[in-house]
Amino acid sequence: RRQGHGQQDDQLRHARRVPERHEPAARIPGPDPPKELSTMLVRLLFASRAVDASPAAIESILASARRHNPQSGITGILLHGSGVFLQGMEGGRQAVSDLYGTIQRDARHQDVVLLHYEEILERRFGGWTMGVVDVGRVNASVLLKYSERAALDPYAASGKMSMALLEELMATASIASHA
């Protein structure tokens, strides 16, 4: 041994004696996370233009959503006015992604544009399989808070502005058709 290196040599000798087997770390006992936390929840907002903006066509879209959304764990809100839709949906990431893909191919929608997408901890639209707001019945001052004109134009607004509009409509109980 060289002088002054004895302690270092002893440390290296002991370091080489580390057992080779690897054991998994012990799991901290506790309850399993709630199921809703084990599935990633997401929120998606998009705009589209109606191919047919008649009341019957809009009712057909709503009926389809209310029939299919519960099976997929999807909740949401549809705003419509002057042939324009603003729709928000929430649910598991794969279910929301699949539904958005279906809507993009749906002949009842055109000019489908993604406005906002985020991972969420909890739902904001949980009370509706598909809530609905006819923008023609909303106070113009509410629309003016979030756009240049008192009309629904999500194409000219940011996703955050669109979400703020939805939240205000929820807060003012403007959303109909709880289901």
Side-chain angles (χ1 to χ4, degrees), residues 1-72:
R1 270 192 213 183
R2 293 180 297 184
Q3 191 168 352
H5 293 282
Q7 184 179 6
Q8 184 179 6
D9 289 341
D10 287 343
Q11 287 173 344
L12 289 174
R13 189 175 325 117
H14 291 299
R16 290 184 206 115
R17 292 184 187 167
V18 172
E20 291 294 322
R21 66 183 188 276
H22 300 283
E23 295 182 27
R27 184 177 182 278
I28 297 172
D32 289 333
K35 185 172 181 170
E36 62 272 8
L37 294 181
S38 62
T39 300
M40 181 183 300
L41 290 174
V42 297
R43 177 179 301 123
L44 183 147
L45 272 62
F46 71 92
S48 65
R49 297 189 196 285
V51 172
D52 178 359
S54 70
I58 291 169
E59 189 52 45
S60 171
I61 290 171
L62 291 169
S64 177
R66 291 178 183 139
R67 194 172 44 252
H68 297 292
N69 287 357
Q71 301 164 13
S72 303

Side-chain angles (χ1 to χ4, degrees), residues 131-143:
V132 62
V133 177
D134 178 348
V135 176
R137 297 181 181 187
V138 172
N139 187 320
S141 66
V142 173
L143 295 171

Side-chain angles (χ1 to χ4, degrees), residues 119-138:
E119 295 175 2
I120 57 174
L121 296 175
E122 62 186 25
R123 296 175 191 253
R124 297 285 295 136
F125 313 143
W128 301 277
T129 55
M130 187 52 61
V132 62
V133 177
D134 178 348
V135 176
R137 297 181 181 187
V138 172

